[in-house]
């Protein structure tokens, strides 16, 4: 009998396995593939971490704890996982990104600098915002390497005794006496408690409850700078988010060797984890390239490569972290609406607290189960 079984070993599952095993819990984890992989949500070579969190001020204490734990993981693993590039949020001053970033920064004393459009153009010559926009610059924002991060967390879990089963999807799980029985094609397993962190697969494969989740297919593009890559090096170019006049949001990264990465945040077509189309047609880059033509004209050439990830979205686009309402001892973790990766070590720590019956170090009340 294991203390905890974890179903899904992406960002949240690997972080939970790390923290639980580190505390001496007997952990068994399962993933249908071999993480880190490119088939779920924790993909794409780079992920943003930022502190002036425009989505809501209640995320700021969680991301601050995550910064501490990313540093701890780097020391324990010996891997470089986080590069601080600084961050730029750009848009109308009354729009959700800029006003939300200012609100979160003010609520928690996050240092930031406010720039008008001309100042943005001077500091970051690649950007060409129209007059009247505002840029919020925060110094601690940066870039995480998702695949290496998941690998480091799983290695830490294994070093503390976690039993990790890769390429072994869980076919079923159910209450069984004082715990749960899990069945795979390779065997039957028993655990006192269970953590359900299967990301996009949670939308269709969670018995006993219908979660209000939808899965979106999101596209990622790496582009070739027309004037050379020096301008986009990580020591001089920030991570960025741009709130457009028509309500869309785009984001991007410096060049880490594959070309600068650009994508639209949300807006992808609905799909499922089983049916998502993983090939990207040439014409599917049109939206991003049209945005770049007016946002950063004269700086980008052709698309070098592309990729697909999945957002598992809740109706309000916040997280869902709560006990299963019908299965005592089953903890639902990971539908994070496309912006959860940066928080994963702090969420994993909170999961360990919940499993042990303790009050989590960070507040999770906004992420409780809600209908509709």
């Amino acid at each position: 009998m294991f203390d905890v079984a974890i179903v899904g070993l992406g960002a949240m599952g690997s972080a939970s396995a790390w923290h639980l095993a580190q505390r001496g819990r007997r952990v068994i984890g399962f993933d249908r593939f071999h993480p880190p992989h490119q088939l779920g949500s924790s993909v794409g070579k780079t992920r943003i971490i930022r502190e002036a969190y425009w989505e809501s001020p209640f995320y700021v204490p969680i991301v601050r704890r995550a910064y501490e734990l990313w540093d701890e993981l780097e020391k324990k693993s010996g891997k470089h996982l986080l590069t601080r590039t600084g961050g730029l949020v750009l848009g109308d001053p009354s729009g959700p990104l800029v006003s939300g970033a200012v609100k979160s920064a003010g609520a928690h004393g996050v240092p930031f600098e406010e720039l008008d459009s001309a100042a943005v153009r001077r500091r970051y010559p690649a950007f060409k915002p129209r007059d009247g926009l505002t840029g919020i610059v925060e110094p601690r924002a940066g870039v995480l390497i998702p695949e290496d991060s998941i690998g480091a967390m799983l290695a830490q879990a294994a070093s503390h005794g976690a039993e990790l089963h890769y390429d072994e999807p869980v076919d079923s799980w159910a209450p069984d006496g004082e715990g749960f029985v899990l069945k795979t094609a390779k065997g039957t397993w028993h655990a006192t408690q269970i953590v359900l962190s299967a990301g996009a697969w949670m939308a269709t494969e969670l018995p006993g409850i219908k979660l209000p989740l939808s899965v979106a297919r999101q596209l990622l593009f790496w582009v070739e700078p027309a004037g050379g890559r020096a301008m986009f090096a990580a020591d001089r170019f920030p991570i960025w988010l741009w709130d457009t006049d028509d309500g869309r949001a785009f984001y991007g990264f410096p060049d880490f060797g594959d070309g600068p990465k650009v994508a639209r945040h949300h807006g992808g077509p609905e799909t499922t984890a089983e049916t998502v189309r993983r090939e990207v047609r040439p014409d599917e880059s049109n939206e991003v390239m049209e945005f770049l033509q007016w946002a950063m004209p004269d700086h980008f050439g052709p698309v070098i490569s592309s990729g697909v990830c999945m957002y598992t979205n809740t109706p309000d686009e916040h997280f869902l972290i709560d006990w299963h309402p019908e299965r005592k001892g089953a903890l639902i973790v990971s539908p994070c609406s496309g912006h959860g990766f940066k928080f994963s070590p702090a969420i994993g720590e909170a999961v360990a607290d919940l499993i042990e019956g303790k009050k989590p170090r960070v507040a999770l009340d906004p992420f409780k189960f809600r209908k509709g």
Side-chain angles (χ1 to χ4, degrees):
M1 172 77 82
F2 289 87
D3 296 324
V4 188
I6 301 175
V7 181
L9 294 171
M12 300 306 169
S14 63
S16 300
W18 166 31
H19 284 287
L20 284 162
Q22 185 172 257
R23 296 185 187 188
R25 301 295 169 180
R26 290 198 66 214
V27 174
I28 186 170
F30 300 90
D31 198 279
R32 65 181 57 240
F33 305 114
H34 195 304
H37 55 73
Q38 299 295 310
L39 300 172
S41 298
S42 302
V43 303
K45 302 179 183 178
T46 50
R47 284 302 177 91
I48 289 173
I49 185 167
R50 50 194 166 87
E51 191 174 9
Y53 214 71
W54 67 265
E55 288 86 342
S56 175
F58 64 67
Y59 287 96
V60 177
I62 311 175
V63 78
R64 283 180 164 168
R65 179 57 180 156
Y67 271 107
E68 295 173 349
L69 291 168
W70 285 121
D71 288 344
E72 178 183 322
L73 183 62
E74 284 191 321
K75 292 175 183 176
K76 289 183 173 180
S77 67
K79 293 182 176 294
H80 178 69
L81 304 173
L82 196 166
T83 300
R84 287 172 172 81
T85 62
L88 172 68
V89 172
L90 188 61
D92 189 283
S94 63
L97 269 66
V98 171
S99 64
V102 171
K103 182 179 180 181
S104 286
H108 293 282
V110 177
F112 73 96
E113 184 179 1
E114 187 171 323
L115 306 179
D116 63 17
S117 295
V120 170
R121 293 192 292 265
R122 287 193 298 270
R123 184 172 300 186
Y124 305 113
F127 294 111
K128 297 295 187 289
R130 65 167 177 80
D131 289 342
L133 300 187
T134 295
I136 301 299
V137 178
E138 59 166 301
R140 290 225 303 162
V143 177
L144 292 160
I145 305 173
E147 294 86 355
D148 288 355
S149 298
I150 289 172
M153 290 190 285
L154 291 172
Q156 287 298 306
S159 73
H160 287 92
E163 185 175 316
L164 304 175
H165 292 233
Y166 301 141
D167 298 310
E168 188 173 347
V170 173
D171 295 326
S172 67
W173 63 271
D176 179 44
E178 296 183 357
F180 295 89
V181 58
L182 300 90
K183 295 183 179 181
T184 75
K186 298 180 181 179
T188 299
W189 315 92
H190 296 270
T192 303
Q193 292 174 289
I194 187 170
V195 173
L196 304 166
S197 53
W201 286 266
M202 303 270 282
T204 55
E205 296 184 7
L206 196 59
I209 186 175
K210 175 64 175 175
L211 292 178
L213 304 178
S214 62
V215 177
R217 176 177 176 265
Q218 300 291 147
L219 302 180
L220 312 170
F221 297 96
W222 289 262
V223 295
E224 184 66 54
R229 296 191 179 189
M231 182 183 293
F232 300 96
D235 61 352
R236 65 183 66 182
F237 192 74
I239 61 94
W240 55 270
L241 299 93
W242 191 316
D243 191 11
T244 65
D245 294 341
D246 59 8
R248 294 176 297 166
F250 294 84
Y251 66 95
F253 296 79
D255 179 17
F256 285 89
D258 302 291
K261 175 179 154 187
V262 185
R264 182 179 173 186
H265 183 49
H266 286 296
E270 191 165 336
T271 185
T272 70
E274 294 80 10
T275 63
V276 60
R277 178 165 55 84
R278 300 191 179 277
E279 299 77 21
V280 181
R281 298 191 309 265
D283 66 307
E284 290 185 293
S285 67
N286 290 350
E287 182 181 33
V288 161
M289 297 308 293
E290 288 170 2
F291 163 77
L292 291 175
Q293 285 171 10
W294 60 261
M296 288 181 256
D298 306 320
H299 287 293
F300 286 107
V303 171
I304 302 170
S305 61
S306 58
V308 174
C309 76
M310 292 180 287
Y311 283 9
T312 310
N313 299 310
T314 64
D316 60 11
E317 296 183 3
H318 292 307
F319 302 165
L320 180 54
I321 303 169
D322 202 0
W323 295 103
H324 193 301
E326 303 294 336
R327 303 285 193 271
K328 185 178 179 180
L331 186 61
I332 299 170
V333 181
S334 92
C336 289
S337 302
H339 62 108
F341 186 87
K342 63 186 73 65
F343 300 95
S344 54
I347 297 300
E349 181 182 61
V351 167
D353 289 336
L354 290 170
I355 290 292
E356 293 183 340
K358 301 175 182 176
K359 182 179 179 180
R361 177 169 179 158
V362 295
L364 302 177
D365 289 346
F367 309 139
K368 289 185 178 296
F369 177 78
R370 56 265 188 203
K371 296 181 179 180

